[in-house]
């Protein structure tokens, strides 16, 4: 495997059992590979997984976007609606500390966005995650404890967002968009 078609740059060669294969990174956006069999075995060949990005890139992007959102003179020039849409997707796909950082950026965007820059109803998957965490918290009342960092981050995000939509006069539409019809029926019944 290589980053060049002539197999001269960033070359990685493997042979034998899977234990001899190691993870590696290639620069760029293209991977070239060549499979050659010596016919000494009748197995099916090999399998490998290619994953885009690398560990440091999320952190770099997070730091750049956080800094841009901290600069008041830069904010009017940012396409906040697009950044919002992208960042909600990131928060839904990521886990652990990366999800927390994505939620942190969503909170900054809500706080600095103009009146209708962001489609707040895109938060529906995160709202479902939050309500699931809330429901589990109610069931675990026998074991009082500290809220998980993700639970706290989502609580803050939805608290600030709810205040924002109240200011905009669109709280009812926002709440209806986030909840399922089934959930609304259960709440009404309660």
């Amino acid at each position: 495997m290589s980053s060049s078609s002539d197999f001269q740059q960033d070359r990685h060669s493997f042979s034998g059992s899977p234990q001899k294969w190691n993870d590696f990174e290639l620069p760029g956006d293209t991977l070239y590979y060549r499979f050659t069999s010596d016919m000494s075995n009748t197995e099916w060949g090999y399998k490998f997984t290619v994953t885009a990005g690398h560990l440091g890139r999320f952190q770099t992007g997070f730091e750049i976007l956080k800094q841009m959102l901290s600069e008041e003179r830069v904010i009017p020039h940012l396409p906040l609606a697009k950044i919002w849409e992208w960042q909600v997707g990131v928060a839904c796909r990521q886990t652990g500390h990366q999800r927390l950082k994505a939620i942190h950026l969503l909170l900054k965007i809500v706080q600095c966005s103009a009146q209708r820059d962001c489609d707040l109803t895109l938060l529906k998957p995160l709202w479902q995650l939050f309500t699931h965490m809330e429901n589990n918290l109610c069931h675990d009342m026998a074991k009082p404890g500290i809220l998980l960092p993700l639970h706290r981050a989502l609580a803050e995000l939805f608290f600030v967002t709810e205040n924002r939509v109240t200011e905009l006069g669109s709280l009812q539409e926002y709440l209806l968009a986030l909840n399922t019809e089934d959930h609304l029926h259960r709440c009404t019944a309660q």
Side-chain angles (χ1 to χ4, degrees):
M1 296 181 203
S2 175
S3 63
S4 64
S5 59
D6 62 0
F7 293 89
Q8 298 302 308
Q9 295 176 325
D10 306 304
R11 184 179 172 153
H12 298 270
S13 296
F14 301 97
S15 179
S17 68
Q19 291 76 20
K20 294 182 180 179
W21 291 58
N22 298 316
D23 289 348
F24 64 93
E25 293 183 16
L26 285 179
D29 60 0
T30 305
L31 163 77
Y32 296 91
Y33 67 95
R34 180 176 24 206
F35 175 72
T36 307
S37 174
D38 63 4
M39 304 295 225
S40 65
N41 205 334
T42 58
E43 299 295 326
W44 62 272
Y46 64 89
K47 175 182 173 181
F48 60 91
T49 303
V50 177
T51 306
H54 104 16
L55 296 176
R57 291 195 180 144
F58 180 90
Q59 185 63 29
T60 302
F62 168 77
E63 292 297 336
I64 291 170
L65 190 51
K66 182 175 81 169
Q67 185 62 39
M68 289 170 56
L69 292 170
S70 298
E71 299 285 334
E72 286 186 33
R73 67 187 199 297
V74 174
I75 291 170
H77 303 286
L78 295 175
L80 285 180
K82 283 288 184 196
I83 293 171
W84 173 261
E85 185 178 334
W86 172 77
Q87 198 61 34
V88 169
V90 170
C92 290
R93 287 188 306 273
Q94 295 295 336
T95 59
H97 291 294
Q98 290 181 339
R99 177 178 272 171
L100 285 173
K101 288 179 177 185
I103 291 169
H104 172 79
L105 291 176
L106 288 173
L107 187 57
K108 285 184 85 64
I109 294 169
V110 167
Q111 291 169 331
C112 72
S113 64
Q115 290 231 331
R116 300 213 180 256
D117 274 342
C118 306
D119 180 0
L120 299 175
T121 63
L122 293 175
L123 291 173
K124 186 172 186 167
L126 293 174
W127 175 253
Q128 291 169 340
L129 174 63
F130 177 67
T131 56
H132 177 74
M133 295 176 100
E134 286 285 301
N135 290 337
N136 286 346
L137 183 67
C138 292
H139 293 117
D140 293 341
M141 289 308 271
K143 305 180 277 182
I146 299 172
L147 290 181
L148 296 171
L150 175 60
H151 196 161
R152 285 194 320 266
L154 288 170
E156 184 177 5
L157 174 65
F158 286 110
F159 178 75
V160 170
T161 304
E162 185 177 322
N163 286 337
R164 187 82 169 127
V165 294
T166 301
E167 290 170 7
L168 297 172
S170 56
L171 180 62
Q172 185 174 356
E173 295 86 2
Y174 168 73
L175 293 176
L176 287 171
L178 290 186
N179 290 288
T180 62
E181 191 173 324
D182 201 35
H183 178 74
L184 294 173
H185 285 294
R186 275 190 311 230
C187 289
T188 304
Q190 287 177 347

